[in-house]
Amino acid sequence: MGRNNPAIFFLAIILSAVFSTGCNSKKINELVSTPLFSISCGKSLVASWEYTLNGGSPLEIKLPVFEVDGKELPAILNGLATVSGPNVLCNGASEYVFEGAFVRDTTLRLQAIFRVAGQNPVVRFRYKLISTGKHKLTKTNGQDNLEYLSYSLGGMPKATDVRLSAFNEMIHSCHLTEEPVYDADFENSASVAGPILLGGNGKTTFLCAYEHDSMYPDNYLGYGLAPGRSVCLRAVKGNYCSGQPVDGYETIWFEVAGVNGDEDEMSKQFRDFVLKYQSLNLASRKPYIFYNTWGRQERAVWAGGKYLTTMNQDFTLKEIDRAHEMGIDVYQLDAGWCDKTGDWTLNPEFFPGGFKKLRGKLDSYGMKLGVWMNPAKVAIASQTYSDNKENLKTWCGKPKEPSPVWEMEMSTDMCLASPYWEYYADLLIRMNKEYGVCYVYWDAVGQSGCDDPGHFHGGAEVSAQERRDCYGFLLPVYLGKIMEKVCAACPDVIFDFDVTESRRIGVGLQFLANGRYFIMNNGPYFKNFDLGRSLLPNNNHNIFINPGPARTWFIRSVLDYDKWLPSNLFLASYQPDDPESSQYINLASLVLGQNSIWGEILKTSPEGTALFHDVIGKYKTVRDDVMAASLIHTGNPGDTPEIYEKVSPKTGKGVVSIFMNMKGKFSYVTKNKVAPEIWHNQGFNVEVNGNGYAKIEGEAREPMAAIVFFGAKQE
């Protein structure tokens, strides 16, 4: 991009150079200042803005380049004026809005929206176009023609591409990857996926990130690299519709940050930003303990029954009692609870007392109610289907063939990138207000699937492929709109999104701006290891489902996200099954932040129930510290030993979990100073030395787990 029209390209270079010269003189317009950094630009001919660490060198971020009415249009502005700000948001961040007119066409204006927090170096920003004319965004040769930003990593010899959504078939889950970017990648104009790109020189590290969700390698945005260590974040596909009005167009959100330190220091600061300042949905960051009914529904099938065999009022009320005994905060009904998808009312045949009966029981325990949903599914017999036929998801002019959903009624799919998004959001608000539903678990949403010309992802004037690409790009955008509308009306609602299968929307920063992820079910299937569909009765395709350490290896394997994204934003369910040795292994895993269990809790022994109650109770007194602490770990899942430390450097409170997967001795010294109050299970020793560090020693005679809480209140 930018090479098709030489005159425009060189004009942009010349004006950018003029601006840069101005920024190096005294003609500086400081837009935002915090104790850690400032944002500034020229007072005229603004083609970029600068992020400057206090006492450090600036990073120049060039403004977007659009294609408007068939011509490339760099955002070169006649200065930037304040529209509003600082406006303090509910998460403590402040928002600033600035606006400037394009030099080449004053009927076009660009808004820059910045969100900053005083004690964090990350700036979150986006752009908005305003037009008093009839300008359109266009695509030459049918390709997206949009550069969101560009900058240089000159003087930064180390670069790293941090990917969040690579799906690994061995563990059957998304996971984090950190790939070095080589000099050859810049020299050969390669591209990397992100969404996080780092550059550093050992003393200073800069970060750029974008908020969008797609499963690698099917990305919708990418970083183009060029000689001179230049970086350009570009649209890849579907980022806008050809012919879309310019007026009101908004980009997704981006992040830029700098630290005086290395990559580890940057990851801590970015992790802190995601935890505290990215989201306005504060409930999504609270480390509640969850119970999900799907684990026992699966077991009903393995025993020769159906998924809905235990989906009834009596069984559910008994489970709520047991969940309360174990220390659960949120009880979630999984698939099969509703009368009809789309209408999402409780099945009166299964639950004659309705939500009132369940809510009364939960309220008496101070617990919250959650439900499973596929947000696109609607039963053919539902009122929602009748009200929204024009919003059906279609492919080549045909809606999806109706099919039963988990033994429920025949259903088809709605397009969420259509007016249906608001209908569905209003329904969720009613469910919260009338039924007390505070937790929504979204499942089975794939990235592709609609090319209907009557929705928000392109009309009949563009190709079906362009509509498909725009649908894929807009799907997480509209899921975000749903969450924003619901949480604005109902601040206690939490959303999780299931990314446990391939070809779904991937792990990314866009969904985390409002919700969280459910990261893994049972791990891999028989088919992942070329073992066929099933070796167990009733065609069970899950492998790692029994008590013991094996299942937990796979679930703990995704804890590496915690370097950049807090582990409490990645729910995964552990099991409560006896014997005690297995329960300790599952509890030692749960308290590292994934915070959920499923299974047949009514079959857990009284001793096992008491153990969960005791350990979870102690964990709750330090879980905020665990949530805030970055993970330090030694060994990989399955190693002996395998050690995880989540202790707050500020309070000394937190937990160390040690897994011994075979016989042997272990010894570990905490990397953070610890609070003097200590609780641990039996079989090993813990001593705190005069400097405040703890030494943990022991010997395992069988696979086991050690749990050490520091600063936990004793009952």
Side-chain angles (χ1 to χ4, degrees), residues 60-118:
E60 182 185 0
I61 307 296
K62 293 185 179 180
L63 293 176
V65 182
F66 304 94
E67 183 181 309
V68 177
D69 301 331
K71 299 178 181 179
E72 289 183 359
L73 181 63
I76 304 168
L77 311 178
N78 283 313
L80 275 174
T82 302
V83 175
S84 65
N87 300 314
V88 179
L89 308 174
C90 65
N91 60 7
S94 295
E95 181 177 271
Y96 300 78
V97 181
F98 303 94
E99 185 176 306
F102 280 66
V103 171
R104 287 180 52 207
D105 188 338
T106 55
T107 67
L108 289 169
R109 302 181 70 81
L110 181 78
Q111 282 193 349
I113 301 97
F114 297 103
R115 290 183 178 178
V116 302

Side-chain angles (χ1 to χ4, degrees), residues 18 25 28 50 401 479 561:
V18 169
S25 69
I28 296 293
E50 291 186 348
E401 193 70 25
L479 289 175
Y561 276 114

Side-chain angles (χ1 to χ4, degrees), residues 68-69 73 99-102 105-111 128-137 244-249:
V68 177
D69 301 331
L73 181 63
E99 185 176 306
F102 280 66
D105 188 338
T106 55
T107 67
L108 289 169
R109 302 181 70 81
L110 181 78
Q111 282 193 349
K128 181 178 181 180
L129 287 171
I130 300 170
S131 172
T132 57
K134 296 182 179 181
H135 298 293
K136 305 287 185 181
L137 294 172
Q244 178 177 340
V246 165
D247 188 46
Y249 169 78

Side-chain angles (χ1 to χ4, degrees), residues 294 297-298 300-301 304-311 335-339 341 347 350 372 403-411:
W294 187 248
Q297 289 179 253
E298 283 187 327
V301 173
K306 295 183 177 181
Y307 288 109
L308 305 189
T309 296
T310 57
M311 187 58 71
W337 62 270
C338 68
D339 183 26
T341 59
N347 190 322
F350 297 161
W372 168 95
S403 60
V405 178
W406 297 116
E407 302 170 6
M408 294 184 288
E409 289 196 28
M410 301 293 282
S411 300

Side-chain angles (χ1 to χ4, degrees), residues 421-439:
W421 80 267
E422 200 153 16
Y423 183 100
Y424 177 63
D426 290 339
L427 185 149
L428 292 176
I429 292 170
R430 290 197 302 273
M431 290 180 68
N432 174 262
K433 304 274 188 194
E434 296 178 15
Y435 308 137
V437 173
C438 294
Y439 172 61

